[in-house]
């Protein structure tokens, strides 16, 4: 059972659709034509050259104008763009004009009418001897040009000759005349037309030469445009695969045409000027022959006392011979030329009539009937009435229509015998008793809008793009409960872009577990609904389409014409309102109007419908998703704070979670992105739309259906966060990258002199990885060592981090996220301790480690094993104190005592500063001599040391050696000065005693003196 009882759900047969609505209007019978005919508003103008004014009329006014055509104004043009109904009016005239026996009517159809066919059609009515001669000429000429390829080549060659011999017109401006002379020269268009390399383009199937030849031999097809064939500027924008093989002249003119649009326009004009004579030459007959034929026919008909009525369905089919036709129809009878009266009604596109008709046509035109109404002209026209005629005809069928016409009975109305006529008409609407099912006026208007260019009503588009597809394709869909079909939505989507334009509306119309039914309900409400959000429609619409209404939606009362108000269950919502009688009415507040939606919400709605999203909105939405997911991750930097490095897309931080690269909205990255959101995925689009809402409003309370959407978003964002975590975080077990990173950082800590890095326990080593370094080497005393340490501490001016920073951050990313119970630090300490094992230092790099990380680690490993330059500068720095004879404090005390005693005797040297020597000695710490001795011993044992021992020597504090040098240098200078002074004078008993003491001091300092002097001499001012 269907909604129509035992009858099928669809009330027509699909096979009737192409029979009633053919591509070519001439294909239907007169009965079907009249059964589907609807009056179309026409603008009547009395003057050809006037683009303003006019009166709105119908086809009956056209018929009366044809019947009253004056002899001196025998032409009526029917103007309009392709598909506006010009051919329809010509056929209506053929059926409704009632010519008397004295009128010879000749109808020239536009389809499948070759040049020979046109001429033979006219010759059919001529009986004179001259006509017989012309008939023989037409047959012979057409047979000679029957080969299409030959005709194309001959037409190309003839055009080249005619352009060269006639193209250089001298009536234009001087500049135009010069350009014409160039194009008409042997080096211009003739060279191009004759060049074998450019032949393929010039003779292409869709090119003007091939099209014109095809039309003259076979006539226009239904797929051909109404505009006259000819050359356009685009035809002369030539390119070939290998221009080097073309002739020099042809290549030159082709290049000039390609770079100069006005030149191409002029070239096309020159070629079109020669099409007529070229056609005449190629096909053996031309405009002059057509003129002679028509003149001969008019003479013959005049002798018979008859007149001629010529109905031309498309004037452009006379392209190439139109001059002869125009001359013949504008030729008036004279005393010496007894022609019969001739009336001409021609359908012609507006552009062709305005731009290519000569002035003589205008002067012979009686009235102009224009199917293109200007903006200031309105006319009552109901598309539903237009469609209803075809809907009824398809239901009745072509045979039944023709039978009624044969029997001279009125056209039948199929709805009269339908068992559900009354409720069908109430639900879907009707025009003059003819139902609009399966459309309604709303659905029909939206479907027509989707196929219209601007606001113009183009009858052909409505018939072939709206009515015929639905009636032919969707009859089975209706019968099998699959209507409205996917094809219906795809065809007419553009007509309902702002109806149910958001995913939330569509979700409210869904039936859980039945996506096919849900999609059909959305289509039904989108096209048949009044456009006010999710709601149930008239019960009959639901019944007809086998789509049950939803109990939690209201029924819009506007879908119930002429029906009693029904009570409907409503959702428990504050927005639900009741009428005074207690009936639920629509809820306009359930769906905010488009103007009140935030721009990003509107962008998501449009994206869901069309898949199109501008880059600015795409970036903003990615950032919103990124921020939401970050809030669920809780990433840390190892010290409990949020880490921005998880969210940066730098290659050395791979893997990362970056808004621009990790969140993808459609596109090729959907399969590989961390978060992929497809505009076809309803759940993802709902979340994205809700996030856009709350981002704009700042609170879920201000978002429509905020409570439900907040829960939906939290669940989905948590799923996204889980997938991001799984991607970002390393495996639970030992990690080769972590081992390499930890040991590289440990080497850096050693190079910085961090004491914990040299301890054997793993915990101390872990602390050393992040510990602050002690005072770095003095740049003046140890430049090589300082440069090594600076590489790890001071940022490169061209970078925003040091090698140590980079590796620390990388290591924290691998260890700082998971913080299990009982772990003392904000890092995964047990895992990091495992990485500190000695055998982890030489692990192979995993494939996923970015190249910048490998490069930094490799550089560190190389630098800490290349220590020879550091060795030499340390040797120069450290004095040899092995023969000092005591610690520095003892020697310094003895020297102070000596200088004091000598000063009391007046024997001290002027160059000695005892106070400075005392202060320098006081600065030397008790442990300095031991440290310098150990450093000196280590340098002596250098070849036998391990890499760690060598690195530790290089990072020892240089200050003990520098403090000893600060005292020892002036001390040796003082000793030398005293020795020189005492040797210069006579020795007394006291002096001898002091001399002995000095000698003992000198003996103790001799070795040290030499070393200090050597160092002072080699270091200079360093």
């Amino acid at each position: 059972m269907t909604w129509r009882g035992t009858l099928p759900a669809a009330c027509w047969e699909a096979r009737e659709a192409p029979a009633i609505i053919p591509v070519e209007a001439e294909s239907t019978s007169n009965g079907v034509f009249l059964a589907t005919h609807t009056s179309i508003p026409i603008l009547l103008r009395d003057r050809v050259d006037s683009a303003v004014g006019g009166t709105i009329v119908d086809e009956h006014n056209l018929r009366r104008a044809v019947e009253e055509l004056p002899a001196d104004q025998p032409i009526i043009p029917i103007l309009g763009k392709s598909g506006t109904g010009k051919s329809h009016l010509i056929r209506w005239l053929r059926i409704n004009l009632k010519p008397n026996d004295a009128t010879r009517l000749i109808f020239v159809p536009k389809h499948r009418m070759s040049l020979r066919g046109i001429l033979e059609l006219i010759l059919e009515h001529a009986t004179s001897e001259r006509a017989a001669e012309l008939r023989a000429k037409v047959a012979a000429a057409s047979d000679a040009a029957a080969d299409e390829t030959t005709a194309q080549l001959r037409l190309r060659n003839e055009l080249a000759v005619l352009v060269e011999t006639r193209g250089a017109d001298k009536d234009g401006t001087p500049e135009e005349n010069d350009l014409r002379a160039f194009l008409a020269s042997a080096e211009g268009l003739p060279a191009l037309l004759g060049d074998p390399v450019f032949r393929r383009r010039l003779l292409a199937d869709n090119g003007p030469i091939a099209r014109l030849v095809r039309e003259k031999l076979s006539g226009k097809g239904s797929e051909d445009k109404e505009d006259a064939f000819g050359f356009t500027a685009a035809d002369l924008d030539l390119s070939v695969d290998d221009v080097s093989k073309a002739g020099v002249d042809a290549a030159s003119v082709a290049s000039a045409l390609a770079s100069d649009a006005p030149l191409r326009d002029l070239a096309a004009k020159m070629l079109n000027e020669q099409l007529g004579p070229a056609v005449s030459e190629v096909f053996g007959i031309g405009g002059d022959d057509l003129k002679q034929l028509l003149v001969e026919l008019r003479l013959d008909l005049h002798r018979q006392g008859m007149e001629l009525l010529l109905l031309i369905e498309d004037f452009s089919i006379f392209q190439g011979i139109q001059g002869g036709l125009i001359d013949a129809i504008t030729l008036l009878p004279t005393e010496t030329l007894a022609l019969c009266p001739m009336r001409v009604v021609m359908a012609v596109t507006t552009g062709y009539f305005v731009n290519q008709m000569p002035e003589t046509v205008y002067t012979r035109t009686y009235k102009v009937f224009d199917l293109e109404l200007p903006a200031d002209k309105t006319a009552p026209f109901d598309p539903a009435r237009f469609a209803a005629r075809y809907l009824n005809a398809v239901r009745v069928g072509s045979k039944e229509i023709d039978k009624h016409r044969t029997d001279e009975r009125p056209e039948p109305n199929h709805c009269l015998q339908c068992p559900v006529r009354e409720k069908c008409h109430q639900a879907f609407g009707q025009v003059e008793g003819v139902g609009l099912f399966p459309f309604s006026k709303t659905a029909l208007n939206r479907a027509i809008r989707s196929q219209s260019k601007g606001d113009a009503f183009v009858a052909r588009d409505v018939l072939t793009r709206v009515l015929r597809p639905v009636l032919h394709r969707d009859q089975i869909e209706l019968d099998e409960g699959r209507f409205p079909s996917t094809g219906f939505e795809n065809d007419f989507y553009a007509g309902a872009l702002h109806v149910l334009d958001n995913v939330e509306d569509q979700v409210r119309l869904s039936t859980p577990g039945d996506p096919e039914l849900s999609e059909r309900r959305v289509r039904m409400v989108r096209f048949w609904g009044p456009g006010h959000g999710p709601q149930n429609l008239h019960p009959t619409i639901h019944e007809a389409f086998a789509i049950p209404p939803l109990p939690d939606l209201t029924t819009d009362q506007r879908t119930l014409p002429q029906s009693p108000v029904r009570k409907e269950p409503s959702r428990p919502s504050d927005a639900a309102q009741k009428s005074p009688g207690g009936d639920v009415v629509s809820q306009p507040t359930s769906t905010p109007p488009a103007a009140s939606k935030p721009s990003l919400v509107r962008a998501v709605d449009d994206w869901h419908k069309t898949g199109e999203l501008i880059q600015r909105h795409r970036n903003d939405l990615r950032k919103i998703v990124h921020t939401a997911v970050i809030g669920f991750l809780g990433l840390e930097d190892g010290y409990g704070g949020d880490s921005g490095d998880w969210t940066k897309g730098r290659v050395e931080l791979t893997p990362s979670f970056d808004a621009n690269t990790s969140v993808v909205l459609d596109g090729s990255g959907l399969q590989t992105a961390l978060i992929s959101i497809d505009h076809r995925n309803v759940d993802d689009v709902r979340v994205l739309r809700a996030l856009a809402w709350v981002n704009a409003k700042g609170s879920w309370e201000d978002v429509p259906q905020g409570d439900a959407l907040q829960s939906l978003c939290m669940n989905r964002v948590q799923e996204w966060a889980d997938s991001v975590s799984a991607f970002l975080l390393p495996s639970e077990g030992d990690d080769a990258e972590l081992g390499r990173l930890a040991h590289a950082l440990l080497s850096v800590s050693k190079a910085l002199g961090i004491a914990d890095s040299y301890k054997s326990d793993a915990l101390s080593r872990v602390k050393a990885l992040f510990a602050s370094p002690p005072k770095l080497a003095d740049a003046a005393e140890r430049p090589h060592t300082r440069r090594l340490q600076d590489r790890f501490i001071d940022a490169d001016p061209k970078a925003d981090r040091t090698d140590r920073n980079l590796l620390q951050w990388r290591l924290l990313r691998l260890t700082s996220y998971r913080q299990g119970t009982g772990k003392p630090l904000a890092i995964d300490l047990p895992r990091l301790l495992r990485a500190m094992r000695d055998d982890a230092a030489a692990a192979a790099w995993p494939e996923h480690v970015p190249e910048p990380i490998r490069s930094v680690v490799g550089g560190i490993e190389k630098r800490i094993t290349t220590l020879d330059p550091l060795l030499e500068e340390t040797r120069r720095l450290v004095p040899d104190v092995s023969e000092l004879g005591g610690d520095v404090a003892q020697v310094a005390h003895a020297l102070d005592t000596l200088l004091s005693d000598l000063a009391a005797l007046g024997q001290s040297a002027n160059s000695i500063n005892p106070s400075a020597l005392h202060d320098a000695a006081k600065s030397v710490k008790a442990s300095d001599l031991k440290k310098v001795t150990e450093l000196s011993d280590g340098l002596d044992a250098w070849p036998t040391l391990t890499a760690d021992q060598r690195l530790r020597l290089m990072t020892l504090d240089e200050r003990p050696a520098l403090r000893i040098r600060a005292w020892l240098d002036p001390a040796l200078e003082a000793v030398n000065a005293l020795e020189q002074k005492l040797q210069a004078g006579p020795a007394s008993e006291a002096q001898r005693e002091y001399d002995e003491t000095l000698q003992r001091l000198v003996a103790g300092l001799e070795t040290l003196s030499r070393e200090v002097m050597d160092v002072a001499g080699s270091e200079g001012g360093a």
Side-chain angles (χ1 to χ4, degrees):
M1 296 288 290
T2 70
W3 75 295
R4 298 175 69 229
T6 58
L7 297 176
C11 53
W12 70 91
E13 294 291 339
R15 64 176 181 271
E16 291 292 345
I20 300 295
I21 313 173
V23 176
E24 299 180 18
E26 284 294 319
S27 300
T28 61
S29 65
N30 285 348
V32 170
F33 177 85
L34 292 175
T36 56
H37 170 72
T38 301
S39 290
I40 299 176
I42 310 169
L43 182 66
L44 168 61
R45 294 199 304 267
D46 293 329
R47 294 184 55 186
V48 176
D49 56 352
S50 175
V52 296
T55 306
I56 301 297
V57 298
D58 60 18
E59 65 272 25
H60 299 285
N61 298 83
L62 171 62
R63 185 190 64 191
R64 285 193 292 272
V66 174
E67 292 172 344
E68 65 186 23
L69 268 174
D72 58 346
Q73 288 183 305
I75 300 173
I76 290 182
I78 301 175
L79 305 183
K81 293 180 180 178
S82 178
T84 52
K86 301 185 300 296
S87 298
H88 184 92
L89 284 177
I90 292 292
R91 183 171 186 188
W92 185 87
L93 283 174
R94 285 180 57 205
I95 296 173
N96 288 276
L97 283 172
K98 304 299 182 183
N100 53 39
D101 293 339
T103 300
R104 180 74 69 201
L105 189 151
I106 299 179
F107 168 64
V108 182
K110 66 178 179 180
H111 290 136
R112 311 306 173 194
M113 183 56 64
S114 65
L115 177 60
R116 175 175 180 171
I118 294 171
L119 299 177
E120 289 180 341
L121 183 64
I122 297 172
L123 282 167
E124 180 184 344
H125 302 277
T127 59
S128 65
E129 294 182 3
R130 175 58 179 157
E133 296 174 3
L134 288 172
R135 191 175 289 111
K137 180 179 180 181
V138 167
S142 299
D143 290 341
D147 179 11
E148 192 169 318
T149 301
T150 302
Q152 289 181 19
L153 295 174
R154 290 184 59 196
L155 184 58
R156 181 190 64 161
N157 296 338
E158 191 62 32
L159 282 171
V161 172
L162 291 172
V163 167
E164 186 171 357
T165 56
R166 303 181 185 180
D169 194 342
K170 302 299 183 183
D171 295 335
T173 64
E175 181 181 5
E176 181 178 335
N177 289 339
D178 289 343
L179 292 175
R180 276 182 171 271
F182 162 67
L183 292 172
S185 68
E187 296 78 21
L189 289 176
L192 189 68
L193 288 166
D195 190 89
V197 173
F198 289 96
R199 167 179 173 165
R200 179 177 58 84
R201 285 292 310 275
L202 290 168
L203 297 180
D205 285 343
N206 61 343
I209 291 177
R211 295 196 312 260
L212 188 62
V213 167
R214 192 163 53 245
E215 178 191 329
K216 297 312 169 191
L217 291 178
S218 305
K220 278 191 175 183
S222 58
E223 71 283 357
D224 291 327
K225 297 180 179 179
E226 292 183 16
D227 295 332
F229 287 152
F231 285 87
T232 65
D235 293 320
L236 298 173
D237 189 1
L238 300 170
S239 62
V240 294
D241 294 334
D242 190 358
V243 73
S244 63
K245 295 181 179 180
V248 175
D249 293 336
S252 176
V253 72
S255 175
L257 290 169
S259 61
D260 190 342
L263 187 65
R264 292 197 299 273
D265 289 332
L266 178 59
K269 180 180 179 181
M270 291 173 62
L271 288 167
N272 288 332
E273 289 170 351
Q274 307 307 323
L275 269 181
V279 167
S280 177
E281 186 65 28
V282 170
F283 292 95
I285 49 176
D288 290 341
D289 296 305
L290 177 60
K291 178 182 177 181
Q292 291 179 23
L293 193 157
L294 281 170
V295 169
E296 188 62 32
L297 176 60
R298 293 182 67 185
L299 290 170
D300 192 11
L301 292 177
H302 174 74
R303 288 191 290 268
Q304 300 176 43
M306 301 183 69
E307 65 175 6
L308 177 62
L309 173 58
L310 191 61
L311 299 181
I312 301 174
E313 192 177 15
D314 180 6
F315 188 83
S316 69
I317 68 170
F318 289 92
Q319 175 75 9
I321 58 172
Q322 73 271 21
L325 175 61
I326 292 171
D327 287 345
I329 63 179
T330 56
L331 189 63
L332 298 179
T334 64
E335 293 183 359
T336 59
L337 189 62
L339 301 175
C340 77
M342 180 178 181
R343 292 175 291 163
V344 179
V345 183
M346 65 174 74
V348 57
T349 57
T350 305
Y352 188 95
F353 187 78
V354 171
N355 298 323
Q356 299 195 36
M357 289 294 184
E359 185 68 25
T360 52
V361 173
Y362 296 163
T363 61
R364 299 288 191 271
T365 297
Y366 176 47
K367 294 180 185 295
V368 176
F369 289 83
D370 196 340
L371 293 177
E372 294 185 64
L373 271 61
D376 61 339
K377 293 290 184 182
T378 59
F381 179 74
D382 183 8
R385 184 172 183 272
F386 174 85
R389 303 280 292 178
Y390 285 92
L391 290 171
N392 182 62
V394 172
R395 293 177 190 135
V396 173
S398 57
K399 290 184 178 179
E400 190 66 20
I401 290 174
D402 290 339
K403 183 178 179 181
H404 275 67
R405 178 171 174 79
T406 301
D407 297 341
E408 297 184 351
R409 288 183 289 164
E411 297 169 0
N413 180 354
H414 189 269
C415 290
L416 295 177
Q417 60 186 7
C418 181
V420 295
R421 175 170 60 94
E422 183 176 352
K423 67 178 186 178
C424 176
H425 288 186
Q426 286 181 349
F428 292 96
Q430 54 84 30
V431 177
E432 298 176 352
V434 176
L436 298 178
F437 175 78
F439 296 96
S440 65
K441 285 191 176 183
T442 299
L444 184 63
N445 287 336
R446 288 172 184 166
I448 291 174
R449 184 188 309 142
S450 72
Q451 303 300 320
S452 300
K453 299 176 181 178
D455 296 327
F457 178 89
V458 180
R460 180 186 297 166
D461 291 343
V462 174
L463 295 175
T464 60
R465 298 182 182 180
V466 177
L467 297 182
R468 176 169 165 159
V470 172
L471 298 176
H472 186 249
R473 174 193 61 211
D474 289 332
Q475 181 245 337
I476 296 178
E477 305 285 345
L478 250 170
D479 285 343
E480 297 182 356
R482 299 195 304 269
F483 187 80
S485 64
T486 303
F488 187 98
E489 182 174 37
N490 292 341
D491 285 348
F492 311 128
Y493 198 88
L497 283 180
H498 300 294
V499 182
L500 296 182
D501 62 350
N502 70 75
V503 68
E504 290 306 317
D505 286 347
Q506 298 168 28
V507 169
R508 291 179 61 196
L509 289 167
S510 64
T511 297
D514 195 338
E516 189 272 340
L517 177 61
S518 301
E519 291 173 2
R520 289 200 298 121
R521 184 180 288 109
V522 170
R523 294 180 200 128
M524 178 185 70
V525 178
R526 172 173 285 138
F527 289 98
W528 280 262
H532 302 291
Q535 56 204 289
N536 293 321
L537 305 185
H538 192 291
T540 299
I541 297 179
H542 285 271
E543 183 184 5
F545 295 163
I547 300 175
L550 294 175
D552 61 342
L553 292 181
T554 61
T555 299
D556 192 286
Q557 302 303 303
R558 280 165 290 190
T559 66
L560 301 173
Q562 305 174 20
S563 63
V565 177
R566 296 166 52 93
K567 287 188 177 182
E568 298 283 348
S570 62
R571 295 185 303 125
S573 169
D574 294 338
Q577 301 176 357
K578 292 190 176 183
S579 67
D583 299 308
V584 176
V585 297
S586 61
Q587 303 171 1
T589 59
S590 62
T591 302
S596 68
K597 295 178 188 175
S599 60
L600 275 183
V601 175
R602 293 198 301 271
V604 173
D605 289 339
D606 290 340
W607 177 61
H608 181 49
K609 291 179 297 185
T610 66
E612 297 178 359
L613 188 65
I614 64 174
Q615 192 61 44
R616 174 169 56 85
H617 290 155
R618 188 181 299 273
N619 292 339
D620 290 343
L621 290 168
R622 286 194 295 216
K623 291 176 183 176
I624 290 172
V625 172
H626 183 261
T627 301
V629 173
I630 286 292
F632 278 73
L633 287 176
L635 302 175
E636 295 183 346
D637 63 2
Y639 305 102
D642 292 335
S643 172
D645 295 309
W646 291 95
T647 62
K648 295 178 181 177
R650 296 170 58 118
V651 64
E652 66 268 22
L653 298 175
T654 303
S656 63
F657 178 50
D658 171 66
N660 291 330
T661 59
S662 301
V663 182
V664 172
L665 309 180
D666 284 350
S668 58
L670 275 178
Q671 303 301 320
T672 58
L674 276 178
I675 296 178
S676 302
I677 304 177
D678 191 333
H679 79 279
R680 297 162 296 187
N681 186 306
V682 172
D683 291 336
D684 280 355
V685 174
R686 290 186 70 196
V687 172
L688 186 64
R689 186 176 188 272
L691 290 175
W693 259 113
V694 76
N695 179 72
K697 296 298 183 181
S699 169
W700 286 106
E701 295 179 356
D702 299 323
V703 176
Q705 305 177 57
D707 290 344
L709 291 178
Q710 182 180 16
S711 176
L712 175 71
C713 284
M714 290 182 66
N715 292 335
R716 188 64 176 124
V717 173
Q718 183 62 64
E719 291 176 6
W720 286 337
D722 292 343
S723 66
V724 170
S725 296
F727 175 76
L728 292 181
L729 302 180
S731 61
E732 292 288 346
D734 291 338
D735 185 354
E737 179 189 3
L738 184 58
R740 293 294 297 270
L741 290 174
H743 281 276
L745 273 173
L746 187 64
S747 296
V748 170
S749 297
K750 291 176 179 179
L752 295 174
I754 297 173
D756 278 342
S757 64
Y758 290 99
K759 295 180 180 179
S760 59
D761 65 291
L763 186 58
S764 294
R765 289 180 163 191
V766 169
K767 293 179 180 179
L769 302 183
F770 302 97
S772 298
K775 186 178 184 298
L776 301 180
D778 186 278
E781 299 293 343
R782 289 196 292 172
H784 290 293
T785 305
R786 183 56 180 267
R787 280 197 294 271
L788 172 66
Q789 294 176 329
D790 283 348
R791 186 68 180 83
F792 305 133
I793 297 299
D794 296 334
D796 189 311
K798 297 181 179 180
D800 61 357
R801 65 185 65 189
T802 65
D803 287 353
R804 191 184 193 215
N805 293 149
L806 178 63
L807 297 188
Q808 283 176 335
W809 294 348
R810 181 78 183 181
L811 181 142
L812 286 171
R813 291 181 51 145
L814 300 177
T815 60
S816 66
Y817 181 74
R818 288 191 277 302
Q819 301 180 52
T821 303
K823 295 179 182 178
L825 299 178
I827 59 175
D828 190 338
L829 186 58
R831 187 162 179 268
L832 186 53
L833 289 174
R834 290 195 300 271
M836 299 304 302
R837 296 182 313 213
D838 290 340
D839 59 356
W845 284 113
E847 293 183 1
H848 69 268
V849 180
E851 181 56 36
I853 297 297
R854 301 183 191 216
S855 177
V856 167
V857 172
I860 291 172
E861 293 172 345
K862 181 178 180 180
R863 283 192 292 274
I864 62 174
T865 56
T866 309
L867 300 177
D868 286 346
L870 279 67
L871 171 64
E872 295 305 320
E873 73 178 13
T874 304
R875 283 189 185 278
R876 291 192 298 268
L877 174 69
V878 178
D880 184 3
V881 294
S882 59
E883 299 181 11
L884 187 60
D887 63 23
V888 173
Q890 293 173 339
V891 177
H893 178 72
L895 181 59
D896 286 347
T897 301
L898 175 62
L899 291 174
S900 178
D901 292 345
L902 289 175
L905 297 173
Q907 296 298 317
S908 179
N910 293 332
S911 61
I912 298 174
N913 186 344
S915 177
L917 277 173
H918 176 77
D919 291 341
K922 190 176 180 180
S923 298
V924 177
K925 297 182 179 180
S927 61
D928 284 355
L929 182 60
K930 179 182 178 181
K931 291 179 179 179
V932 170
T933 301
E934 291 176 350
L935 178 58
S936 180
D937 292 345
L939 294 176
D940 291 340
W942 181 267
T944 65
L945 301 181
T946 64
D948 272 4
Q949 289 173 328
R950 291 179 177 183
L951 188 59
R952 188 170 191 183
L953 277 178
M954 296 302 97
T955 57
L956 288 176
D957 191 354
E958 75 271 7
R959 286 176 294 180
L962 293 176
R963 285 193 292 267
I964 290 178
R965 283 183 56 187
W967 165 78
L968 187 57
D969 288 348
L972 289 175
E973 291 176 0
V975 170
N976 289 334
L978 289 174
E979 185 177 21
Q980 293 175 7
K981 184 173 180 65
L982 291 175
Q983 291 175 354
S988 63
E989 191 66 28
Q991 289 172 332
R992 282 195 296 273
E993 183 180 345
Y994 285 120
D995 186 47
E996 292 174 359
T997 302
L998 179 61
Q999 288 176 356
R1000 289 195 299 270
L1001 175 65
V1002 169
L1005 294 176
E1006 183 177 2
T1007 303
L1008 180 62
S1009 174
R1010 287 195 300 271
E1011 182 67 26
V1012 170
M1013 293 302 293
D1014 291 340
V1015 171
S1018 62
E1019 290 294 314

